[in-house]
Structures are given as C-alpha cells and as structure tokens.
Amino acid sequence: SLSAARRLVKFDKRLYVDAWVDVRQRDRTQGTNHLQRVKRTVQRLSAGTNNSADVRQRFRVSGDDSGPVGMTGAGGAILIATGAKLVPVKSLDQIYAQAQGMHFVLLYKVRQWASGCHGCFAFLPENKKRNKMMSTMYPDGSDSDKPTEKATSKPMFLEWSHAKMDAALAERLRFGGVKGVDRAIEKVLRSYNKDVSRLVDVCRQMVIFREVQHLNQCLEALERDEHVVVERIKNRMDPSYDASLTVGYRDVMVNLRIVSAESRYLGLDMHVCEVQLVLQRFAELRHDEGHDRYIRLRNARGE
C-alpha cells in the first residue's frame, strides 16, 4: 500500500534532509553563496527554453509530407532521419536505436565537462564486485522508521581528471547506461499515456561532485559548450524546491541535445538526453537498497 511504501522511505528521506541541511549550512557559514550561483546559472541556461513538460523526442521528415527520409531499421524505426519537418517519435525501437548511437557521443561530452570541474563517476573497488550499501529492508507492515542494520560500506567515486591518466583506474569507472526497456515501457504506460516521444531519459549520464561550486562549474561548462542545446532543466538544488516530491533527494537535471557535426552526420542531433548533476552527499545515499525502497513508493503511486 501507499502508506506502507511511505514508511519504507521515511529513514531515507531523513538522511537526504540532513544532507541538505548540511549543504546549506556550509554555504551560509563559508559565505560563498554557491547555491545562489547555481540558481543564476540555471536561469541563464533556461532562457530560450519552454522548460515545460512538453519536451519530446522528434525526428525529421521531408517537407512535402511524403514521409521520413533516411535509413530505417527493424519495424520501420527511423535510425537516421534527414528531412526538414519535425514530428514526434512514435516508435520505441527508434528511440532506443538513437539512444544507443547517442550513448558514446554523450559519454564523450560528460567526460569533457567533468575533466574541468572535478566531476566524479562511480568507481568499483579492487575486487571489481559491485559496491552495495548493505541496508536491511523493513519487513512489510513494520512500524520501524529506520533499517535494522547500518550500511557497512559507501559507494566509491573517482574524479575523471585522475582516472583518465591511468588506464587501470579508468577501467574501474562505471558510467550510466541506456535505460532499461522494462522501465521505459512502464513509464510510457503509467505516466505518458502511451506517448513514447516523452521518453527523454533513455540516453543518460550522471556526474557527481564533492562541492556545490564544482557542480556550478559544470553547469557553466554546459553553458559555454556551443554543441549543447538545453531543452529543459530542473534545479532541485534550489532552496525553494519541494523535495518531498523526491523523498528529499536533490540534484540538477538537464535534458539536452548534442548538436555537432558528428551528431548531425549520424542523424542524432534531435535526440534528447538526460544529464544528472549530483552532490556526492546525495549520491552516497542513493544506494541499491534505498533505491529499491523508492521504487516501491513509485510503484505505489503508479508512476
């Protein structure tokens, strides 16, 4: 039930709230106002976008309405479209074909941005086993508001500027992958009224930062990048944001397109990707068990 799911995430929410209080306190104590700088950078990036829920995957068709122009794949999915008119994508196959192509383009970009602003990525320990937070799930129906065991380890993160100089370290980094098909279908049915064009997070990456100022530097790098077209940006680091909507979790989420000679050549310049910019304090709390609890809440909400 929804009430049971809410109880499950109660402890996680408390941890996120505590982390946010600490972030704000440090910002005030140090007199740096980096959160306000993030807000101003987001406002500049938002200028010229509708910043609404109507961000969609679109592709080009010929201007005379004779149909799509380009290379087609299985089921008629348009892999490379080169027409002049833009229409919403109607094929999940098409979105995934384009997301697979965009994965390496976006990965190159996020590494580039991370390199100049102390950006980090998930890092596997020496034994290359997944580094899980070993929290115990609450029993169903329990009135407990915290896990029965404490986490025994924290996720590890490493700056890309360090890892790129050492091939052995770089091999242990873990980057974002293409969104699972099952979750994509679930989202289309539950939240998007079967409109697949609203799936704008199939190709996604996450960059982690130890300090707010580093996160803002990454936003400024996006702002300077002539190949980036921002479609929508959500600033959950804004103090006015109602974090109860995300169980206390906060980040800056950017939906963008990469419009470069390479993406144009591949016919992928219209594909919308998602980049999450996250403080390490929040990334450490976003462990497997906590995420499982959040999924149970999301399912109870029907999202």
Side-chain angles (χ1 to χ4, degrees):
S1 69
L2 183 57
S3 59
R6 284 173 174 161
R7 286 198 298 272
L8 285 175
V9 298
K10 188 176 180 181
F11 182 71
D12 300 301
K13 182 177 180 180
R14 185 186 303 167
L15 294 177
Y16 283 132
V17 169
D18 288 346
W20 175 240
V21 169
D22 182 58
V23 168
R24 294 197 66 185
Q25 183 63 37
R26 288 184 61 194
D27 202 43
R28 285 193 295 263
T29 301
Q30 297 173 0
T32 53
N33 293 318
H34 287 304
L35 288 172
Q36 284 301 314
R37 293 178 187 180
V38 168
K39 185 173 183 178
R40 289 195 293 269
T41 307
V42 167
Q43 288 172 342
R44 292 196 304 271
L45 284 166
S46 297
T49 71
N50 60 20
N51 218 34
S52 71
D54 193 37
V55 176
R56 297 173 184 270
Q57 301 289 7
R58 304 178 192 276
F59 71 103
R60 294 186 176 91
V61 296
S62 58
D64 60 3
D65 292 330
S66 60
V69 177
M71 183 175 72
T72 59
I78 310 304
L79 306 186
I80 299 177
T82 56
K85 183 179 178 181
L86 295 176
V87 298
V89 175
K90 296 181 180 180
S91 165
L92 190 60
D93 286 342
Q94 179 175 341
I95 289 177
Y96 269 85
Q98 294 182 338
Q100 292 287 356
M102 274 303 299
H103 172 75
F104 296 102
V105 178
L106 181 63
L107 184 56
Y108 173 82
K109 278 294 185 182
V110 295
R111 287 169 170 173
Q112 188 179 61
W113 302 327
S115 185
C117 56
H118 304 280
C120 304
F121 298 97
F123 182 65
L124 292 183
E126 194 73 40
N127 60 12
K128 303 211 174 193
K129 292 180 179 179
R130 284 191 77 197
N131 186 32
K132 292 185 177 181
M133 297 286 284
M134 301 303 293
S135 297
T136 299
M137 294 286 288
Y138 317 111
D140 288 340
S142 169
D143 292 329
S144 173
D145 63 351
K146 61 182 180 181
T148 56
E149 292 182 11
K150 292 184 178 180
T152 58
S153 61
K154 285 185 178 181
M156 298 169 64
F157 307 99
L158 183 67
E159 284 191 25
W160 172 244
S161 59
H162 297 157
K164 70 179 182 179
M165 306 301 292
D166 186 326
L169 291 178
E171 285 181 358
R172 290 163 57 189
L173 291 179
R174 287 299 175 264
F175 303 98
V178 172
K179 191 181 193 74
V181 176
D182 288 349
R183 172 55 185 156
I185 292 172
E186 186 178 69
K187 200 169 184 179
V188 167
L189 296 176
R190 289 180 175 179
S191 303
Y192 296 154
N193 195 27
K194 301 181 182 180
D195 184 355
V196 299
S197 71
R198 294 177 64 186
L199 280 173
V200 292
D201 63 345
V202 175
C203 179
R204 70 270 176 90
Q205 290 294 335
M206 177 189 294
V207 190
I208 297 102
F209 307 90
R210 294 187 178 91
E211 304 291 342
V212 178
Q213 69 188 85
H214 299 154
L215 188 153
N216 187 56
Q217 288 169 2
C218 188
L219 284 170
E220 291 174 339
L222 266 71
E223 186 180 21
R224 293 190 301 268
D225 194 322
E226 63 182 358
H227 297 141
V228 170
V229 176
V230 174
E231 293 286 346
R232 177 174 61 195
I233 184 166
K234 295 181 181 179
N235 181 15
R236 300 186 182 110
M237 298 296 294
D238 189 330
S240 66
Y241 172 73
D242 181 7
S244 66
L245 300 172
T246 48
V247 197
Y249 175 78
R250 292 176 182 266
D251 63 7
V252 177
M253 188 276 289
V254 188
N255 289 118
L256 54 81
R257 293 185 291 115
I258 306 296
V259 182
S260 63
E262 180 182 19
S263 66
R264 286 194 183 100
Y265 176 78
L266 295 172
L268 301 173
D269 54 302
M270 291 306 302
H271 188 82
V272 182
C273 309
E274 179 178 286
V275 177
Q276 299 174 24
L277 308 180
V278 189
L279 287 182
Q280 185 169 322
R281 286 288 303 275
F282 289 91
E284 287 173 346
L285 296 173
R286 230 178 101 152
H287 52 80
D288 289 337
E289 296 290 355
H291 190 59
D292 287 344
R293 290 190 284 272
Y294 174 72
I295 289 175
R296 292 182 64 177
L297 175 63
R298 187 183 69 196
N299 289 342
R301 288 173 173 172
E303 297 174 348

